[in-house]
């Protein structure tokens, strides 16, 4: 069984799964009061790749403080304790 198939079968029913790159999917709860913005999603995708805030800021051409705010906002929406947990909650890495 592929890693992706195993991941998808392990998810609770009713979640929205959307491919965001050849190597990542976004997993969202359609009943959540707030969804991640496109920028929050992009930032968490880069967090999931192991980039630092400074590296993410350079790649997205924003300030490191703005990256921090996007991570903070996403963590709040996802109920995550830290940036790594937020990335894991939001993304299933498939390769």
């Amino acid at each position: 069984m592929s890693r992706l198939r195993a991941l998808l079968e392990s998810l609770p029913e009713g979640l929205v799964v959307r491919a965001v790159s050849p190597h990542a999917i976004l997993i969202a709860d359609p009943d959540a009061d707030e969804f991640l913005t496109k920028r929050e999603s992009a930032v968490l995708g880069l967090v999931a790749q192991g980039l630092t805030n400074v590296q993410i800021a350079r790649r997205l051409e924003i300030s490191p403080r703005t990256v921090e705010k996007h991570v903070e906002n996403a963590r709040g929406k996802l109920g995550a304790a830290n940036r790594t947990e937020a990335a894991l909650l939001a993304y299933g890495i498939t390769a």
Side-chain angles (χ1 to χ4, degrees):
M1 180 181 297
S2 75
R3 288 173 51 194
L4 175 59
R5 182 175 300 251
L7 171 67
L8 293 175
E9 289 178 356
S10 71
L11 295 174
E13 289 186 36
L15 293 179
V16 175
V17 179
R18 177 173 55 98
V20 293
S21 82
H23 304 289
I25 56 175
L26 176 66
I27 302 168
D29 181 351
D31 296 327
D33 291 334
E34 298 181 73
F35 285 103
L36 297 179
T37 65
K38 288 182 182 182
R39 185 61 96 179
E40 290 164 350
S41 179
V43 167
L44 285 186
L46 295 171
V47 168
Q49 293 177 32
L51 276 65
T52 66
N53 286 354
V54 171
Q55 291 168 323
I56 294 168
R58 286 184 188 141
R59 184 164 302 177
L60 298 178
E61 299 180 352
I62 58 178
S63 76
R65 179 66 182 128
T66 300
V67 173
E68 287 177 30
K69 288 303 293 178
H70 287 309
V71 171
E72 180 181 318
N73 291 340
R75 281 183 48 221
K77 290 177 182 180
L78 295 169
N82 56 51
R83 64 190 275 123
T84 302
E85 184 180 11
L88 290 172
L89 288 170
Y91 283 88
I93 305 304
T94 62

